[in-house]
């Protein structure tokens, strides 16, 4: 919803409203708009995957500059000035536009790839192992193998299977 784009307003009102993106434009809309923009300027010849990737990396660098030398903690970008937040939105938009253009040029269905990747992440980071941990999934599995007698039950409502201890694995 358009009104949900101001998280500061919700916090100022004394209640937390989760941030939500506006429903439009969709990634397909962004792909179409960017394609039209580039085609009108005869820029398709410059938009090879390598070029788009390097442009994307450059934009990520520009985004990083906005955060460079700022203190950690606190409200962060929510407390930035209007001009700084506008710059933040522009850099994030540049990144998204180049990412969508790269996915399009490589014929990757980005929304489907996101769904597939989230499912992969669910398998790599089961709740009972990953909750509260910043370890990579290969380390989570190693840490779990070091505790064969400890059984961790998933959080209420979780769908992950309970881990099997080393002794049970050998018995099967």
């Amino acid at each position: 919803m358009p009104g949900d784009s101001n998280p500061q307003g919700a916090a100022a009102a004394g209640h937390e409203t989760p941030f939500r993106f506006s429903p439009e434009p969709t990634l397909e809309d962004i792909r179409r708009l960017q394609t039209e923009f580039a085609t009108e300027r005869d820029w398709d010849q410059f938009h090879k995957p390598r070029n788009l990737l390097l442009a994307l990396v450059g934009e990520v660098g520009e985004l990083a500059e906005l955060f460079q030398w700022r203190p950690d903690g606190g409200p962060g970008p929510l407390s930035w000035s209007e001009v700084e937040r506008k710059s933040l939105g522009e850099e994030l938009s540049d990144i998204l536009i180049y990412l969508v253009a790269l996915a399009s040029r490589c014929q990757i269905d980005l929304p489907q790839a996101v769904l597939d990747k989230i499912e992969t992440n669910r398998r790599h980071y089961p709740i009972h192992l990953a909750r509260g941990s910043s370890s990579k999934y290969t380390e989570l599995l190693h840490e779990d193998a070091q505790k064969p007698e400890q059984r961790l039950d998933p959080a209420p409502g979780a769908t992950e299977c309970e881990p099997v201890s080393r002794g049970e694995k050998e018995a099967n």
Side-chain angles (χ1 to χ4, degrees), residues 105-156:
R105 182 59 72 146
C106 296
Q107 296 187 0
I108 299 295
D109 182 350
L110 202 50
Q112 187 58 54
V114 166
L115 294 176
D116 293 345
K117 181 60 177 173
I118 289 173
E119 185 55 37
T120 297
N121 288 345
R122 286 185 197 284
R123 288 191 311 273
H124 284 175
Y125 297 94
I127 294 168
H128 67 279
L129 295 178
R131 183 181 299 278
S133 173
S134 62
S135 296
K136 186 171 178 172
Y137 71 94
T138 52
E139 290 300 312
L140 288 173
L141 298 175
H142 177 71
E143 291 166 9
D144 188 47
Q146 298 298 318
K147 305 174 192 172
E149 301 305 317
Q150 182 180 359
R151 299 186 66 82
L152 300 172
D153 294 327

Side-chain angles (χ1 to χ4, degrees), residues 5-161:
S5 63
N6 183 2
Q8 289 176 310
H15 57 83
E16 292 288 325
T17 302
F19 174 81
R20 294 176 188 233
F21 292 117
S22 54
E24 293 179 352
T26 65
L27 288 180
E28 176 55 26
D29 293 336
I30 293 168
R31 186 207 59 76
R32 182 183 43 77
L33 290 167
Q34 187 280 329
T35 298
E36 289 171 2
F37 183 87
T39 300
E40 291 167 348
R41 288 155 183 79
D42 192 27
W43 288 354
D44 290 334
Q45 60 184 318
F46 308 119
H47 287 183
K48 305 297 184 226
R50 178 184 172 277
N51 303 106
L52 292 169
L53 173 61
L54 292 174
L56 176 61
V57 169
E59 294 300 337
V60 170
E62 291 180 24
L63 175 64
E65 286 179 359
L66 297 178
F67 286 85
Q68 188 175 20
W69 312 122
R70 292 186 182 258
D72 290 332
L78 294 179
S79 67
W80 292 4
S81 73
E82 187 174 326
V83 170
E84 292 169 319
R85 288 187 52 79
K86 182 170 178 19
S87 294
L88 177 60
E90 288 175 354
E91 297 308 333
L92 289 169
S93 296
D94 286 340
I95 290 166
L96 180 60
I97 290 166
Y98 278 123
L99 178 63
V100 169
L102 179 60
S104 176
R105 182 59 72 146
C106 296
Q107 296 187 0
I108 299 295
D109 182 350
L110 202 50
Q112 187 58 54
V114 166
L115 294 176
D116 293 345
K117 181 60 177 173
I118 289 173
E119 185 55 37
T120 297
N121 288 345
R122 286 185 197 284
R123 288 191 311 273
H124 284 175
Y125 297 94
I127 294 168
H128 67 279
L129 295 178
R131 183 181 299 278
S133 173
S134 62
S135 296
K136 186 171 178 172
Y137 71 94
T138 52
E139 290 300 312
L140 288 173
L141 298 175
H142 177 71
E143 291 166 9
D144 188 47
Q146 298 298 318
K147 305 174 192 172
E149 301 305 317
Q150 182 180 359
R151 299 186 66 82
L152 300 172
D153 294 327
T159 60
E160 267 58 4
C161 298

